[in-house]
Amino acid sequence: MALHVAIDGPAASGKTTVARTLARRLSVPYLDTGAMYRALAWRALETGTQPADEAALMRLLTREPIEALPSHADGSAFCITIGGRDPGAALYGPDVSAAVSAVAAHPNVRRAMVERQREIAAAGPVVMAGRDIGTIVLPAAPFKFFLTASLDERVARRAAELAAARQAVDIVELRRNLERRDRLDATRAVAPLRAAPDAVQIDSTGRSAAEVLALMLELVGQEAHR
Ligand code: DC
């Protein structure tokens, strides 16, 4: 069985940081599945496609397929492109963040993304982060984590990230956006955010990324190298 690690959790729960570092430490590539949904939302906004219009989104996806390409010299992460373009930091802009949950709620969009994600996993080991990795994408993954953190902590972390990237921070708006995304992601009809019954749940409130990583490495690292 290939080394597949599934990491799920709500927005700004710290998944990305720990997933990327864990992948590096295990020498396996990292796939941020949220970036795939964000890439489609980004192109939808650019092309004037309504996030609520599933058929139009599917036509866009057919015209401009999403690819996951090894991005670093050490092969430690996949870079997401759409129609051959790398959206870069635009994926994390406020417009994309506000539109992405609606895009990710469509069953056909999800089917296409999940198919692509499973192909990547079939090709070899991967640390995959998202909302439905342990439940839907890789239900047989030998390692599953569900990361949570309090809303206050998640707002503070996202604010610090934005400040570090020299982007404007509006705390009230940030909190509203996170709450809205939590609600949409957790209540959608298809593949709602929830922990797989066999996932190890980690509450990262008050814990540093290094502490969370150490916990995960304890569970994965030793067995992976046994
Ligand atoms: O992890 P993120 O915040 O970059 O994810 C962006 C959005 O994509 C999020 O609102 C929910 C959706 N998403 C999803 O539905 N399934 C995934 N596997 C990953 C992300």
Side-chain angles (χ1 to χ4, degrees):
M1 160 76 72
L3 177 50
H4 291 156
V5 183
I7 304 182
D8 293 299
S13 58
K15 297 185 303 283
T16 308
T17 309
V18 294
R20 178 171 287 148
T21 322
L22 181 68
R24 255 193 218 124
R25 294 283 294 271
L26 297 172
S27 301
V28 308
Y30 161 60
L31 178 68
D32 172 8
T33 60
M36 298 170 72
Y37 293 95
R38 284 175 180 271
L40 182 57
W42 171 70
R43 277 302 283 158
L45 293 174
E46 271 201 344
T47 56
T49 308
Q50 289 303 315
D53 187 343
E54 182 173 33
L57 290 171
M58 291 308 290
R59 283 195 296 276
L60 175 59
L61 203 48
T62 305
R63 253 191 343 264
E64 302 188 20
I66 288 182
E67 306 272 10
L69 311 165
S71 69
H72 295 302
D74 62 1
S76 67
F78 287 102
C79 168
I80 303 301
T81 62
I82 180 161
R85 289 168 66 203
D86 172 4
L91 287 188
Y92 301 94
D95 295 351
V96 172
S97 295
V100 66
S101 286
V103 168
H106 298 298
N108 287 320
V109 167
R110 301 201 66 81
R111 205 166 295 136
M113 299 292 189
V114 169
E115 195 179 311
R116 195 73 205 84
Q117 291 153 10
R118 287 184 179 152
E119 280 168 14
I120 291 165
V126 64
V127 172
M128 216 181 265
R131 303 289 190 289
D132 59 343
I133 311 304
T135 50
I136 308 282
V137 182
L138 304 175
F143 302 104
K144 297 181 184 178
F145 296 98
F146 193 84
L147 266 188
T148 56
S150 69
L151 182 62
D152 281 347
E153 175 118 359
R154 292 187 291 127
V155 170
R157 282 183 195 159
R158 197 38 63 90
E161 274 168 24
L162 290 172
R166 295 181 184 284
Q167 291 188 29
V169 181
D170 178 340
I171 296 282
V172 175
E173 180 55 33
L174 202 59
R175 174 180 281 271
R176 198 177 299 140
N177 187 282
L178 276 183
E179 276 176 328
R180 187 174 148 270
R181 278 213 288 147
D182 282 353
R183 197 175 55 248
L184 289 173
D185 294 342
T187 58
R188 70 181 172 219
V190 186
L193 170 71
R194 62 184 165 76
D198 53 346
V200 174
Q201 300 214 24
I202 301 178
D203 184 347
S204 70
T205 310
R207 281 181 162 141
S208 68
E211 285 173 274
V212 175
L213 180 70
L215 252 169
M216 288 180 165
L217 271 171
E218 216 176 286
L219 288 161
V220 180
Q222 288 155 5
E223 283 201 44
H225 292 117
R226 201 170 274 168

